Amino acid sequence: MSEPELSGQLEDLRQQYEALRGLDLSLDLTRGKPNKEQLALSDALDGILAGDYRASNGTDTRNYGGLEGLEEARELFAQVLDTPPDSTYVGGNASLSLMYAAIECALSQGLRGPSTAWGNDDPVKFLCPAPGYDRHFAICEHLGIEMITVPMLDTGPDMDRVEALAEADHSIKGIWCVPRFANPSGCVYSEDTVARIARLGNIAAPQFLVMWDNAYAVHALYEDAPPLAPLHAYCKQYGTLDSVFQFGSTSKVTFAGAGISFLSSSEDNLAALKQHLGFQTIGPDKVNQLRHVRFLKNPANLASHMAQHAALIRPRFECVLDTLERELAGLGMGSWSKPRGGYFVSFETLPGLAKRVVALAGDIGVKLTPAGATFPYGEDPNDSNIRLSPTFPSLEDLTAAMNAFVVCVKLASLQERLNRG
Ligand SMILES: Cc1ncc(COP(=O)(O)O)c(C=O)c1O
């Protein structure tokens, strides 16, 4: 295209952008939260116990105790994590708290006593596949753990890089993983990646931990969404169960703020963590655990509940992907993930334009996740990744937000092209 043609296009886009400004939009694509219709799917939790607070073994769930969680809850959620019930604990409303507790325990107390505490070494480092989940990175930053960015591929973290780093540098004590429908790319780790992650315990530092955050384990948007290979089985095969903590929660199954969390690890790790947690609480909210078991019942019922979630949010994901395809395909102005589940779409602008696109959108009332948020220390080396969260806004708002988003991407890209001459 000639320069006058490009300038003409730029003028046209500027007019579209100014027209959008005139609409006084107030839209928000930042929140990876369930929408209110999704929350309503679980309203039957309220009152489901109907005064019957007894767990199957007779425990009065209203009382103190039971740090490892109710037996029937461990049984049910072990099936979500694909782990044995006796190595699965069920906790309070946030898996993030369990992750924090596990890291804090390994760092300051040591999972096998004080001589094994990561904090005995300085520095303590963590591998952070990115783009990734900002709150994982925030835990590291808060606890003074140095983060090393590792690229995410379509198959999961770049395992050549992960293995080389973990083997060479024993101040690296762990890695963050969101193995199914990763936040934000939606990638499902390949079987080879899962097997290689299971082997890390044999090549990395002695107290190395894989933080396997399976937050979206049952969050498929389509029936044919790829399954996840069984990490536990691979770890058993390689003798590395001590090097893995697996996590999950019902935050995006029932109520995001009032669900339950679960984790699984080796017997010795669980014993250490239980002792550590014992200083923070006498036990989790077992009433809520019982409500969840009575409501979700079994894996088949959970699957049909999740299919109802998928029916509500699939049109929103399709709105995002259809708009991107219709407006941007073939223009060389960006690329995006096409997730089969989870909560996000990951968009890559041309290098150096993510902050500009986020600012352009913000100026016309479309709030996007800050550029860089998906990288350690909030710094995306290419300034190109933008996380889009389609689930929370109404379809109408989402459509308006996406129409504005693509104009911002085109405007930033074309300006850049003309600047570079
Ligand atoms: C990958 C991932 N892990 C954990 C969480 C939060 O989980 P919870 O509500 O159980 O603390 C989120 C929420 O967005 C997430 O995306």
Side-chain angles (χ1 to χ4, degrees):
M1 205 180 282
S2 68
E3 192 154 330
E5 279 171 326
L6 283 175
S7 300
Q9 262 197 7
L10 185 62
E11 190 42 43
D12 187 40
L13 278 167
R14 281 208 180 106
Q15 281 174 18
Q16 287 181 41
Y17 183 75
E18 288 310 319
L20 286 165
R21 190 196 299 283
L23 296 179
D24 270 337
L25 300 172
S26 175
L27 303 166
D28 192 335
L29 279 189
T30 65
R31 292 170 296 185
K33 298 204 288 192
N35 58 55
K36 57 182 189 298
E37 293 83 17
Q38 286 180 275
L39 296 173
L41 292 175
S42 301
D43 281 352
L45 275 171
D46 190 21
I48 199 166
L49 298 185
D52 176 9
Y53 294 98
R54 297 264 160 200
S56 52
N57 66 359
T59 299
D60 184 341
T61 57
R62 293 169 300 183
N63 225 323
Y64 272 143
L67 202 50
E68 61 287 333
L70 286 185
E71 246 170 60
E72 50 264 64
R74 297 172 67 191
E75 180 86 37
L76 176 58
F77 294 111
Q79 295 176 77
V80 171
L81 292 180
D82 203 2
T83 51
D86 58 5
S87 66
T88 307
Y89 279 10
V90 180
N93 77 326
S95 59
L96 211 56
S97 306
L98 294 178
M99 294 175 220
Y100 186 91
I103 293 212
E104 195 189 31
C105 181
L107 183 69
S108 62
Q109 311 299 314
L111 287 167
R112 299 293 176 277
S115 67
T116 68
W118 296 342
N120 295 336
D121 294 336
D122 186 32
V124 176
K125 301 180 194 163
F126 237 72
L127 299 177
C128 298
Y133 181 36
D134 50 350
R135 289 181 191 272
H136 288 162
F137 305 152
I139 290 179
C140 284
E141 205 168 350
H142 183 63
L143 293 173
I145 297 173
E146 204 176 302
M147 292 179 272
I148 302 173
T149 301
V150 176
M152 274 294 282
L153 311 176
D154 289 344
T155 48
D158 179 341
M159 288 310 296
D160 290 344
R161 189 81 73 89
V162 167
E163 286 165 350
L165 284 164
E167 202 166 8
D169 182 353
H170 280 200
S171 61
I172 296 174
K173 304 298 187 190
I175 181 170
W176 286 110
C177 295
V178 183
R180 192 166 193 231
F181 311 130
N183 176 350
S185 73
C187 139
V188 179
Y189 290 13
S190 69
E191 176 128 20
D192 180 59
T193 297
V194 174
R196 290 171 75 176
I197 286 180
R199 277 198 298 262
L200 286 177
N202 290 332
I203 61 169
Q207 303 298 321
F208 185 90
L209 282 185
V210 176
M211 296 292 286
W212 193 254
D213 177 3
N214 207 348
Y216 301 105
V218 291
H219 300 63
L221 287 168
Y222 300 91
E223 274 179 23
D224 64 354
L228 180 66
L231 181 69
H232 183 88
Y234 276 112
C235 288
K236 217 165 147 187
Q237 186 182 332
Y238 300 132
T240 55
L241 285 170
D242 280 339
S243 67
V244 171
F245 270 98
Q246 301 197 48
F247 302 90
S249 78
T250 67
S251 291
K252 283 150 189 170
V253 174
T254 56
F255 296 156
I260 56 178
S261 58
F262 29 94
L263 87 156
S264 177
S265 193
S266 69
E267 201 179 320
D268 287 344
N269 284 352
L270 289 175
L273 184 68
K274 190 172 168 185
Q275 196 202 17
H276 184 70
L277 289 172
F279 291 100
Q280 303 170 36
T281 176
I282 304 172
D285 179 348
K286 297 185 297 303
V287 173
N288 200 24
Q289 292 186 3
L290 189 60
R291 295 192 317 153
H292 274 76
V293 174
R294 296 238 175 107
F295 177 64
L296 294 170
K297 296 188 183 80
N298 54 48
N301 193 60
L302 170 62
S304 66
H305 179 77
M306 293 314 293
Q308 294 182 63
H309 276 281
L312 289 170
I313 60 177
R314 210 168 30 231
R316 289 167 163 88
F317 275 84
E318 288 174 356
C319 164
V320 170
L321 296 175
D322 290 350
T323 310
L324 294 173
E325 189 67 29
R326 187 184 65 237
E327 297 293 333
L328 297 177
L331 298 185
M333 292 183 173
S335 57
W336 53 93
S337 64
K338 298 180 177 110
R340 307 297 285 171
Y343 261 59
F344 305 99
V345 173
S346 183
F347 186 86
E348 295 289 330
T349 66
L350 296 177
L353 292 188
K355 283 198 181 102
R356 172 87 185 122
V357 169
V358 171
L360 281 170
D363 276 353
I364 54 168
V366 178
K367 203 168 160 202
L368 299 174
T369 306
T374 51
F375 280 76
Y377 308 107
E379 277 173 32
D380 173 357
N382 290 326
D383 184 26
S384 65
N385 186 252
I386 297 177
R387 186 184 82 175
L388 302 172
S389 314
T391 57
F392 190 74
S394 67
L395 199 49
E396 195 189 347
D397 282 355
L398 186 63
T399 306
M402 284 310 298
N403 286 336
F405 176 74
V406 291
V407 169
C408 296
V409 171
K410 287 184 202 175
L411 189 54
S413 308
L414 208 55
Q415 276 170 341
E416 172 77 1
R417 205 174 284 173
L418 278 163
N419 284 348
R420 276 197 272 117

